[in-house]
Amino acid sequence: ETDVLVVGGGGAGSRAALEARLAGAQVILAVKGLHNAMAMRGAGATNSGQSDWGGFFLDPETGAAHLVPWLDASKSTVEDLIEGDYRNIIQAGLGMADPKLVHTLVQDAMSHRYKLQEWGIKFHGRWLLHHGVPLIALFNRLLQENGVQILEEIMVADLLIHQGRCVGATGVDFQGNSMVIKAGAVILATGGDEALYQYNFHPPCVTGDGHAMAYRAGATLTNMEFGQFFLIALPGKGHPNTGLLRSPGAKLTNGRGEEFLSRYLPEGVTAQEVLETRAEYNPFTTRDCGKYFDIATTKEIIAGRAGPNGGVFLDLTEAAVSLRDQYAESWLNQQGIYPDERPLEILTGRHCAGGGLVIDENGLSNIPGLYAGGGEAAA
């Protein structure tokens, strides 16, 4: 029995548990696997380290990003940056983003960054190297120092609802023992649903548990049809930089060695135009001609013309890889993948869910006592 039960030991859950404890509440953090254990069940997407390729876009001397920022930070105030972030998110959402949640996010981001730096987290320019791995190590120490009870290898299975209010949850441990945890409030932070997809680059524990529990309990979910899909390099789950698509001399072929992109293009759109457009970003979008890249590759795979690992091939063996893309190439080499020696097998895989629980700016769902954060919530 506790004041606050937090379900999920990733970045959102760990921070929520710490903040609740610092506010004076008794807190239990329930983790499906082991807290602060990389690449194991329960580690969460924050602690996977699978997005550390972003670090290769940093200047090793200055820590500055090689990518062009949205705004010139040297000529902008903090208020300018906050306003710029707000406008970018609202525009990108095209009416689907909740303005109150976006405002809360951008207004609070800077203060939370300062707090993390105060606790010892080091940022490199705009980036945090190795994804969220340093964050979970930090939170693990702070949680223990502040007396948060961490229950490991606990699968929380369902929420307890009494007279319309969430009063706890039921679960089972790895030995098969069932348990009931009574709580004054429950915070769901089990992440998204990425591991439900055959091809993704999340840990296998990110299976939409919280979404399912909340739905069964009567919580309102929204935008569940939305999600991000990135390029994935096979046979692993890491994602290459889409900038490789613009490498001069690059070829896109199916498992039979046939170039196929032009078959799926409308009149007036060229394969080169599609590749150059798709190279500008990673998430799949229907807003421009870059969409034909993902549509074509997916249809080739469905038609049975895939490679041995289920993807298509980006052949860079005769291509001139540009300077910007050497960073992605370095990351691929770390995974034992050498695109200059053999074609790179790729496909579009799940990156993250775009939907989740409907919450207000305090994280509260439509069920009293039930809160959500991180990948669990819809923005």
Side-chain angles (χ1 to χ4, degrees), residues 165-229:
R165 181 180 180 85
C166 186
V167 295
T170 62
V172 61
D173 65 20
F174 278 24
Q175 286 71 48
N177 302 307
S178 59
M179 64 175 59
V180 173
I181 303 173
K182 298 179 182 179
V186 175
I187 302 173
L188 291 177
T190 64
D193 59 5
E194 290 72 36
L196 298 181
Y197 290 74
Q198 180 179 6
Y199 298 106
N200 67 86
F201 45 91
H202 277 251
C205 56
V206 185
T207 51
D209 304 345
H211 290 162
M213 285 187 281
Y215 180 77
R216 289 193 297 268
T220 300
L221 282 75
T222 190
N223 294 347
M224 296 300 289
E225 70 274 31
F226 293 112
Q228 279 192 347
F229 292 85

Side-chain angles (χ1 to χ4, degrees), residues 12-352:
S14 298
R15 184 62 188 270
L18 178 62
E19 290 296 335
R21 182 70 187 112
L22 293 177
Q26 294 298 316
V27 181
I28 290 177
L29 176 62
V31 185
K32 192 190 293 188
L34 301 177
H35 193 259
N36 190 34
M38 280 186 64
M40 296 182 66
R41 184 186 291 109
T46 310
N47 203 31
S48 70
Q50 289 178 305
S51 291
D52 60 350
W53 67 274
F56 288 104
F57 285 96
L58 299 174
D59 185 298
E61 297 295 327
T62 66
H66 287 282
L67 304 181
V68 178
W70 291 100
L71 293 169
D72 185 351
S74 65
K75 300 178 181 178
S76 304
T77 65
V78 171
E79 290 72 22
D80 291 334
L81 295 173
I82 291 173
E83 178 62 23
D85 277 346
Y86 178 84
R87 285 188 278 106
N88 284 334
I89 295 171
I90 292 296
Q91 189 280 328
L94 292 179
M96 301 307 296
D98 184 331
K100 291 184 296 183
L101 294 182
V102 177
H103 184 267
T104 299
L105 174 68
V106 299
Q107 285 291 335
D108 290 352
M110 195 64 73
S111 63
H112 285 295
R113 173 175 172 143
Y114 293 151
K115 175 58 71 174
L116 290 173
Q117 290 175 312
E118 181 183 320
W119 284 334
I121 293 295
K122 295 182 179 180
F123 288 85
H124 299 260
R126 296 181 299 142
W127 296 86
L128 180 64
L129 290 182
H130 310 301
H131 202 36
V133 173
L135 293 178
I136 302 301
L138 168 70
F139 289 142
N140 183 262
R141 174 175 62 81
L142 293 176
L143 290 169
Q144 295 187 58
E145 289 177 355
N146 287 280
V148 171
Q149 183 181 0
I150 302 176
L151 295 182
E152 296 183 315
E153 299 187 334
I154 300 296
M155 174 67 189
V156 175
D158 260 317
L159 299 171
L160 293 173
I161 307 296
H162 179 65
Q163 296 182 348
R165 181 180 180 85
C166 186
V167 295
T170 62
V172 61
D173 65 20
F174 278 24
Q175 286 71 48
N177 302 307
S178 59
M179 64 175 59
V180 173
I181 303 173
K182 298 179 182 179
V186 175
I187 302 173
L188 291 177
T190 64
D193 59 5
E194 290 72 36
L196 298 181
Y197 290 74
Q198 180 179 6
Y199 298 106
N200 67 86
F201 45 91
H202 277 251
C205 56
V206 185
T207 51
D209 304 345
H211 290 162
M213 285 187 281
Y215 180 77
R216 289 193 297 268
T220 300
L221 282 75
T222 190
N223 294 347
M224 296 300 289
E225 70 274 31
F226 293 112
Q228 279 192 347
F229 292 85
F230 279 17
L231 285 189
I232 288 179
L234 297 173
K237 288 187 176 183
H239 55 95
N241 174 25
T242 51
L244 291 169
L245 297 176
R246 73 161 65 86
S247 300
K251 294 190 296 184
L252 189 65
T253 63
N254 59 24
R256 300 174 182 176
E258 306 164 334
E259 294 190 55
F260 60 87
L261 183 55
S262 59
R263 303 179 198 163
Y264 298 89
L265 303 183
E267 188 176 351
V269 178
T270 67
Q272 186 63 32
E273 182 183 0
V274 170
L275 291 177
E276 290 181 357
T277 301
R278 190 65 177 84
E280 292 299 321
Y281 49 80
N282 213 325
F284 168 72
T285 178
T286 60
R287 295 185 189 180
D288 54 44
C289 70
K291 65 185 178 183
Y292 295 115
F293 170 85
D294 301 81
I295 292 171
T297 55
T298 301
K299 286 188 174 182
E300 284 293 299
I301 293 167
I302 292 173
R305 294 187 287 272
N309 295 297
V312 298
F313 291 98
L314 177 61
D315 189 343
L316 300 173
T317 55
E318 298 180 7
V321 179
S322 65
L323 176 64
R324 172 179 171 179
D325 302 320
Q326 288 178 4
Y327 300 97
E329 187 177 25
S330 298
W331 183 86
L332 289 168
N333 292 166
Q334 284 196 344
Q335 319 307 310
I337 301 171
Y338 299 91
D340 57 334
E341 296 179 1
R342 64 179 184 271
L344 177 65
E345 193 169 0
I346 61 173
L347 51 69
T348 303
R350 182 76 160 185
H351 175 226
C352 64

